[in-house]
Amino acid sequence: MAGHTDNEITIAAPMELVWDMTNDIEKWPGLFSEYASVEVMERDGDKVTFRLTMHPDADGKVWSWVSERVADPVTRTVRAQRVETGPFQYMNIVWEYSEAAGGTVMRWTQDFAMKPDAPVDDAWMTDNINRNSRTQMALIRDRIEQAAGERRTASVLAD
């Protein structure tokens, strides 16, 4: 049995701003609340290999892993996978962006399976990822919308 999640949010900001802010991996600790640090290990064109380290969990454990991400600015999609899978057999993520009335839709689809000896099963992780994705997406939306508002204000003041 594998896990699958599909979450999306509309951000009241232009596509370019949403794309730029969510694909600036080095700034993820300021965009996501769960990441303590990001270390870019390698860049090759639109492909980035990086280590994500989370803030300690409730038990004080710090989770960290290496992921590989390929952004396609033409199709406005990003495909990512964990290179160091940790408790996952595999973890594949697709980010899709599309223009919509009032802004930009950002969609995250995740397909994964937990290892047999993982501390949780696929169903538990599916619920956890769905809950956390909604939290992180709302936070990202708020931060991008704030940046968009600041840019509009700066533009008006410059005119």
Side-chain angles (χ1 to χ4, degrees):
M1 176 98 183
H4 174 80
T5 65
D6 190 338
N7 292 280
E8 69 178 45
I9 195 163
T10 300
I11 302 170
M15 169 75 77
E16 205 62 39
L17 180 61
V18 175
W19 176 264
D20 289 347
M21 287 184 70
T22 58
N23 285 291
D24 189 348
I25 295 169
E26 289 90 345
K27 292 187 179 170
W28 277 8
L31 193 61
F32 292 80
S33 64
E34 61 190 342
Y35 299 139
S37 66
V38 176
E39 173 195 356
V40 173
M41 303 164 77
E42 182 180 349
R43 282 191 188 277
D44 182 11
D46 291 323
K47 179 178 161 185
V48 181
T49 304
F50 58 100
R51 173 172 297 285
L52 276 175
T53 302
M54 296 182 77
H55 294 288
D57 66 16
D59 297 324
K61 174 144 178 66
V62 175
W63 296 93
S64 181
W65 64 91
V66 173
S67 287
E68 181 179 276
R69 200 165 195 274
V70 179
D72 184 343
V74 173
T75 62
R76 297 294 192 195
T77 58
V78 179
R79 297 194 180 283
Q81 63 182 0
R82 283 192 179 199
V83 176
E84 290 179 1
T85 57
F88 294 92
Q89 285 180 359
Y90 63 90
M91 166 61 86
N92 298 314
I93 306 169
V94 177
W95 291 33
E96 298 172 285
Y97 303 79
S98 58
E99 292 180 315
T104 302
V105 175
M106 180 176 68
R107 179 180 179 198
W108 298 345
T109 307
Q110 296 171 269
D111 290 294
F112 60 91
M114 303 307 295
K115 290 179 179 173
D117 62 347
V120 298
D121 63 13
D122 293 340
W124 186 95
M125 187 56 73
T126 299
D127 289 341
N128 185 61
I129 290 172
N130 276 325
R131 190 172 40 259
N132 191 56
S133 291
R134 287 189 287 274
T135 298
Q136 294 303 313
M137 287 178 135
L139 181 61
I140 290 166
R141 176 201 59 214
D142 294 348
R143 290 178 173 168
I144 293 174
E145 288 178 357
Q146 179 181 356
E150 290 167 0
R151 287 183 181 194
R152 282 191 297 272
T153 300
S155 175
V156 167
L157 293 175
D159 289 343

